[in-house]
Amino acid sequence: MPRIAVDFVLLPDQAMTDFVIAANARLVKKFQSEIVLAHNGCLPHISLAMGCIDSEKIPSLGLLLESLVKITPKHLRPVGITKSLSSAGVISSVLIERSADLQNLHEKICNTVKPFFTFDVTQDMFVQCRAGRPALLWVKNYLIESAYENFSPHITLGFGDLEDCRLPPDFAVSRLAVCRLADHCTCAKILWFVDM
């Protein structure tokens, strides 16, 4: 059973996906961002839990996650553009309101997937067997550094400082999904999903 690097995510509706891909295109054009978002592969998403898992266990884990659809928030609210500094440069993201419902979903997913996860991540667990050190560390340390009280829901836009971006007041969630990770912890391929 090959182990792969995965992300349990919420996928935004079509309008928000289009908005994020357009913002990313501006970053790619101005800053040559290595993150290039698209409708098929490298999907805009909100991460809920990352780790490594035996690929054959995803369908049975999906069955466990289906029960969480009823507590999944159907709408989310962007609250601003945030910028963080990584070893590769400035990363712009849409910060999402950390509502009680979203926090509850995140924690329940982390608790559900934790027994299935390992964190001894290697490059061959990513799409194209390629991932830089920041992506490896992000997956390895997700539950320690980015989960539970450290959860900061966001949609990564790409490398560069995005300015003059008017956010929509809210957006719908289209899917709860499990995605295979590519470099920069982008969602390259949907492995399991349930529509909202």
Side-chain angles (χ1 to χ4, degrees), residues 129-141:
C129 297
R130 187 174 67 86
R133 181 171 165 75
L136 295 171
L137 290 174
W138 191 263
V139 173
K140 179 181 180 178
N141 298 318

Side-chain angles (χ1 to χ4, degrees), residues 1 13 33 42 68 96 118 126 154 176:
M1 289 185 286
D13 63 15
S33 173
C42 210
L68 299 179
I96 306 299
T118 63
F126 289 76
H154 64 277
L176 175 63

